[in-house]
Amino acid sequence: MKYALVTGGSRGIGRAICVKLAQEGYHVLINYVSNQAKAEETLALTKEAGTEGELIKFNVADLEETQAAIEKWQNDNKDAYIDVLVNNAGVTADSLLPMMEPEAWHKVISTSLDGFYNVTRTVIKKMIRKKHGRIINMASVSGLIGLPGQCNYSAAKGAIIAATKALSKEVGGKNITVNAIAPGFIKTDMTSGLNEEELKKGISLGRFGEAEEVAELAAFLASDKAAYITGETIAITGGLKA
């Protein structure tokens, strides 16, 4: 049995990735922090996809809570290990920088960037011992080109891209690949308040992407077919015009 952990797996892109990995035969650990009802919905969808999964509750921004939850799972499943880690959890708190409150800055940084550190540091140790692993970090086009009103989000996702490159060099010799995905405008709760009609004018394909399209890329990066790809950030934007 192959195991995959998807943080922020209760909805949106995270949910789509959970379902796709279940279709590929993974036992998916669906991380969530508060909305158990949505997480249960994702779990039901993974089971429909053909593979048993389970919920694992912890706040990625809290190192002690993250370590405790993952280590408990590992102790309960001594012969298993998390072969695929998808660092997907993230939040937005948009505002122009002069009006951005410290809470908005720190919330976004702690979830996306500290969350990457907290989860990856805990999971990667057994990957190293097993000499195999796939780490997929959810970045954003915001981290590639910067978007107004998202200094906090752009900073977090830009740092994720840099960390992806650095970590890939640290663990490549252990047969662990580390890559990032940088989505553009994808139809999820996070983009539901945006003016889609206006924004899609700046996208070559003329539409927002679907979460399932991002999930297809994540599943490819998790597979043996992507064994020679590491340290890369792959944008999936529909041809967003910078």
Side-chain angles (χ1 to χ4, degrees):
M1 177 66 69
K2 300 180 294 183
Y3 293 86
L5 168 60
V6 181
T7 67
S10 64
R11 55 188 179 179
I13 291 174
R15 171 179 288 184
I17 293 173
C18 287
V19 173
K20 180 61 183 179
L21 290 178
Q23 291 173 347
E24 296 296 317
Y26 287 91
H27 178 106
V28 183
L29 282 66
I30 303 161
N31 162 253
Y32 72 104
V33 65
S34 59
N35 197 333
Q36 184 167 341
K38 288 291 185 182
E40 293 281 2
E41 290 176 9
T42 302
L43 179 59
L45 290 170
T46 62
K47 291 180 178 179
E48 288 177 15
T51 308
E52 289 293 322
E54 61 187 289
L55 304 183
I56 180 166
K57 181 180 180 180
F58 59 87
N59 179 3
V60 299
D62 186 316
L63 176 58
E64 291 184 1
E65 186 177 324
T66 297
Q67 286 180 328
I70 295 173
E71 288 171 1
K72 181 182 184 304
W73 179 86
Q74 193 64 75
N75 288 333
D76 292 342
N77 300 270
K78 293 188 183 299
D79 295 330
Y81 84 105
I82 296 167
D83 183 60
V84 173
L85 168 61
V86 182
N87 284 306
N88 170 75
V91 295
T92 55
D94 294 354
S95 173
L96 295 176
L97 188 65
M99 281 80 78
M100 184 178 291
E101 296 296 331
E103 293 80 4
W105 174 269
H106 291 295
K107 181 179 181 180
V108 171
I109 297 294
S110 64
T111 302
S112 291
L113 187 55
D114 293 349
F116 156 79
Y117 167 80
N118 294 340
V119 180
T120 305
R121 180 177 182 271
T122 306
V123 170
I124 201 170
K125 293 175 183 178
K126 196 153 190 180
M127 286 185 180
I128 290 171
R129 290 198 295 273
K130 293 290 186 177
K131 294 185 178 179
H132 190 274
R134 299 281 185 267
I135 297 172
I136 301 162
N137 300 318
M138 199 57 59
S140 169
V141 67
S142 185
L144 288 170
I145 63 173
L147 293 176
Q150 287 197 327
C151 277
N152 50 2
Y153 195 67
S154 294
K157 295 304 185 179
I160 288 292
I161 290 168
T164 294
K165 295 177 184 297
L167 183 59
S168 71
K169 292 175 171 63
E170 292 181 6
V171 298
K174 298 296 184 181
N175 197 30
I176 299 169
T177 64
V178 189
N179 292 290
I181 297 174
F185 295 112
I186 308 297
K187 288 184 179 180
T188 66
D189 292 347
M190 290 179 72
T191 59
S192 61
L194 300 179
N195 187 336
E196 183 175 348
E197 287 302 312
E198 185 63 29
L199 288 170
K200 71 183 185 183
K201 294 176 184 177
I203 300 171
S204 297
L205 294 183
R207 65 176 178 87
F208 277 19
E210 301 291 340
E212 289 74 17
E213 292 173 306
V214 182
E216 289 286 346
L217 176 54
F220 169 70
L221 290 174
S223 73
D224 290 341
K225 296 175 183 178
Y228 201 57
I229 301 173
T230 194
E232 299 298 331
T233 299
I234 303 174
I236 179 165
T237 70
L240 185 66
K241 302 167 187 175

